[in-house]
Amino acid sequence: MLVSIIVPCYNQAQYLTEALESVWKQSYENWECIIVNDGSNDHTEQVAKLWQNKSDRFKYVYKENGGLSSARNSGLRIATGDYIQFLDADDSLSQGKLQGSIDIFKKYLSKNIQIVITNFRMFLENPLQSTDPYCHLSPDLFNLKSVLLKWETLFSIPIHCGLFDATLFKGFKFPEELKAKEDWIMWLYLFQKTELVYFLNQPMAYYRLNPNGMTSNANHMQENHIKAMVYIKDIIPNSDYIEFLIQELKLKHHENTKLKTSIHNYQNSKTYKWAKKIKETAFIKFLFKVLKKTK
């Protein structure tokens, strides 16, 4: 059973070697690794070609910059594997990630498992010096309703935690207009198609805490959250979408209430009243100076 590992990279050459090293060290050897250079202007191409020269299991693709979704779609188009493994250029896999997941597929062949999700850990520079994950993953969360209503408020699933039956991606494209939240759309699409999921509760994926990553930009993430809502409508049942919209409105109302309370508390605080008094006194003094000059 061939596994297609899709590694998009845009100006992350400094991390790419480590990601590809984790592919090279996989105990399961029947894989192809598709490195998609998304129009990088750093030395991504040189790094990718070094690995391509090392083994013909590494495939290299260059494309004009189109974003993460576009790069992943390019990889999906040429993937020939029975299973799909995504790996962002700044992340890493444990040595047994593929083998452990493939073993589950084989063990539960009669149950037609289509997705194996492993647990994960986080790291800054070295995957061997990792910390606990930012959320708690459990099998009761791996369903359409949870991914729709609890995504990022309770949990999210790093995309490289999954190993996927390649047939699930027939007819699917990552939305290229989105510059974030595209993984959320993917999980919703997949859980709409199947809930035949097995959770391997071992940390086999490593997620880099990258301070320069797009997830650290709150405005960027919020903008794409709103855009993603358009795509969600076409994926899920209408009743679920209405429930989702109601929850979104409740969350916004709650945020507005908190903001109003914070403003009210500040305006009634001694600090605000003191600052307001100083400002008013300064304005009166300024007004007197103006009046004197006009006499």
Side-chain angles (χ1 to χ4, degrees):
M1 292 182 285
L2 179 67
V3 177
S4 294
I5 307 168
I6 299 171
V7 185
C9 188
Y10 175 68
N11 289 346
Q12 291 188 314
Q14 71 270 34
Y15 304 127
L16 184 58
T17 294
E18 190 168 48
L20 298 181
E21 185 77 35
S22 77
V23 172
W24 180 249
K25 289 181 177 178
Q26 288 299 303
S27 56
Y28 185 82
E29 297 182 347
N30 190 18
W31 52 260
E32 62 175 4
C33 181
I34 304 165
I35 309 162
V36 183
N37 181 353
D38 188 33
S40 301
N41 51 34
D42 63 359
H43 57 288
T44 290
E45 182 166 296
Q46 292 92 313
V47 173
K49 287 190 172 180
L50 283 174
W51 286 94
Q52 188 180 32
N53 292 334
K54 188 166 186 169
S55 171
D56 58 9
R57 287 183 292 171
F58 288 100
K59 323 289 184 185
Y60 174 65
V61 178
Y62 176 87
K63 61 179 288 297
E64 294 297 321
N65 179 249
L68 184 56
S69 290
S70 175
R72 285 179 179 153
N73 287 337
S74 293
L76 284 172
R77 277 193 293 271
I78 64 173
T80 61
D82 304 291
Y83 298 97
I84 301 293
Q85 168 74 59
F86 295 103
L87 176 62
D88 289 350
D90 57 346
D91 292 329
S92 183
L93 303 174
S94 74
Q95 188 174 356
K97 171 67 165 68
L98 298 185
Q99 186 65 66
S101 301
I102 290 292
D103 287 346
I104 295 298
F105 280 115
K106 289 180 177 178
K107 183 176 180 180
Y108 296 99
L109 189 63
S110 62
K111 294 187 177 181
N112 296 316
I113 296 296
Q114 292 186 286
I115 304 172
V116 174
I117 297 173
T118 71
N119 219 323
F120 71 102
R121 287 180 67 82
M122 304 186 302
F123 71 102
L124 282 170
E125 296 296 335
N126 185 351
L128 297 178
Q129 298 172 350
S130 60
T131 58
D132 290 339
Y134 58 74
C135 67
H136 176 71
L137 296 182
S138 61
D140 59 299
L141 295 172
F142 302 147
N143 57 76
L144 181 65
K145 274 289 184 72
S146 293
V147 173
L148 178 64
L149 301 176
K150 299 176 183 179
W151 191 261
E152 291 185 345
T153 58
L154 181 63
F155 78 108
S156 62
I157 313 167
I159 196 169
H160 60 311
C161 286
L163 185 65
F164 309 94
D165 185 325
T167 60
L168 290 173
F169 290 92
K170 289 181 178 178
F172 174 78
K173 282 182 63 179
F174 287 94
E176 297 185 7
E177 294 80 4
L178 292 182
K179 303 306 177 186
K181 306 289 184 177
E182 77 294 327
D183 55 336
W184 184 31
I185 299 296
M186 181 205 76
W187 286 111
L188 284 169
Y189 174 85
L190 295 182
F191 282 121
Q192 173 64 12
K193 293 189 72 172
T194 183
E195 291 188 359
L196 296 171
V197 179
Y198 187 95
F199 180 48
L200 182 57
N201 193 11
Q202 296 178 29
M204 293 186 164
Y206 293 92
Y207 176 87
R208 186 185 297 269
L209 292 166
N210 188 346
N212 299 316
M214 62 184 177
T215 54
S216 61
N217 186 331
N219 289 334
H220 174 76
M221 298 301 287
Q222 181 61 29
E223 178 185 344
N224 281 276
H225 179 85
I226 294 169
K227 289 180 180 179
M229 291 169 67
V230 177
Y231 291 94
I232 292 172
K233 188 177 187 302
D234 295 329
I235 294 173
I236 64 175
N238 192 54
S239 58
D240 289 335
Y241 189 66
I242 291 170
E243 185 179 356
F244 167 69
L245 290 179
I246 291 170
Q247 176 177 281
E248 287 288 301
L249 289 171
K250 286 180 178 178
L251 286 171
K252 291 303 175 188
H253 176 71
H254 179 65
E255 290 172 6
N256 288 337
T257 302
K258 281 180 64 178
L259 180 59
K260 287 178 181 178
T261 302
S262 297
I263 292 170
H264 175 76
N265 291 341
Y266 175 65
Q267 288 177 338
N268 286 281
S269 68
K270 290 181 179 179
T271 302
Y272 176 80
K273 290 177 179 177
W274 178 70
K276 185 179 180 183
K277 189 173 183 180
I278 291 174
K279 188 175 181 181
E280 289 172 347
T281 302
F283 178 73
I284 291 170
K285 288 180 179 179
F286 170 75
L287 193 59
F288 272 123
K289 284 182 181 180
V290 173
L291 291 172
K292 282 181 181 181
K293 287 181 180 180
T294 57
K295 287 181 179 179

